[in-house]
Amino acid sequence: MSVRKFVRSFGYAFKGILTACTEQNFISHLLSAAIVLIAGYFTGLSRIEWYIVLLLIALMFALEMINTAIERVVDLASPNIHPLAKQAKDLAAGAVLVFAIFSAIIGLLIFIPKWF
């Protein structure tokens, strides 16, 4: 791969991130992340707790972007309503929900002992 193609690939990736930032669900994750980061700052998280929180936030963003990509590809491949297309979109959304629930549980396990 040439250096020019390699650098250009970063441009495409940044365009993808900017596209994600226009999505309603991604924006809600951004707001949630901001609240968690502010709470972490005032709570005084340890270094390892910060690592965990930042990893969960990054994975949530990435998973939401993958979910959006799956939804777009399914919409392109199946513009009409089809049971398999619906299942694919529902499964992708379900994966995001499962991760969000477990991230919240981990967050509570980190924060609650420090608050009480």
Side-chain angles (χ1 to χ4, degrees):
M1 178 188 317
S2 72
V3 173
R4 175 181 242 168
K5 286 183 181 180
F6 181 71
V7 171
R8 197 176 315 143
S9 68
F10 280 96
Y12 298 139
F14 283 116
K15 284 181 184 177
I17 293 169
L18 290 175
T19 300
C21 289
T22 66
E23 295 289 318
Q24 179 179 344
N25 288 341
F26 196 84
I27 293 168
S28 72
H29 291 301
L30 283 171
L31 293 173
S32 297
I35 291 167
V36 169
L37 293 172
I38 292 167
Y41 175 79
F42 287 109
T43 302
L45 299 181
S46 70
R47 180 175 286 171
I48 191 73
E49 289 166 334
W50 273 115
Y51 294 158
I52 293 167
V53 167
L54 292 173
L55 180 63
L56 291 173
I57 290 171
L59 289 172
M60 188 77 253
F61 289 160
L63 190 56
E64 185 60 49
M65 291 171 72
I66 291 168
N67 176 48
T68 300
I70 289 170
E71 288 179 353
R72 299 263 171 95
V73 169
V74 168
D75 288 345
L76 180 64
S78 180
N80 299 321
I81 296 175
H82 189 281
L84 291 176
K86 181 183 181 329
Q87 285 180 3
K89 291 171 77 169
D90 290 350
L91 285 164
V96 173
L97 180 60
V98 167
F99 191 80
I101 290 169
F102 279 90
S103 293
I105 291 168
I106 293 168
L108 291 172
L109 291 171
I110 290 172
F111 281 94
I112 287 179
K114 294 185 173 293
W115 291 341
F116 298 104

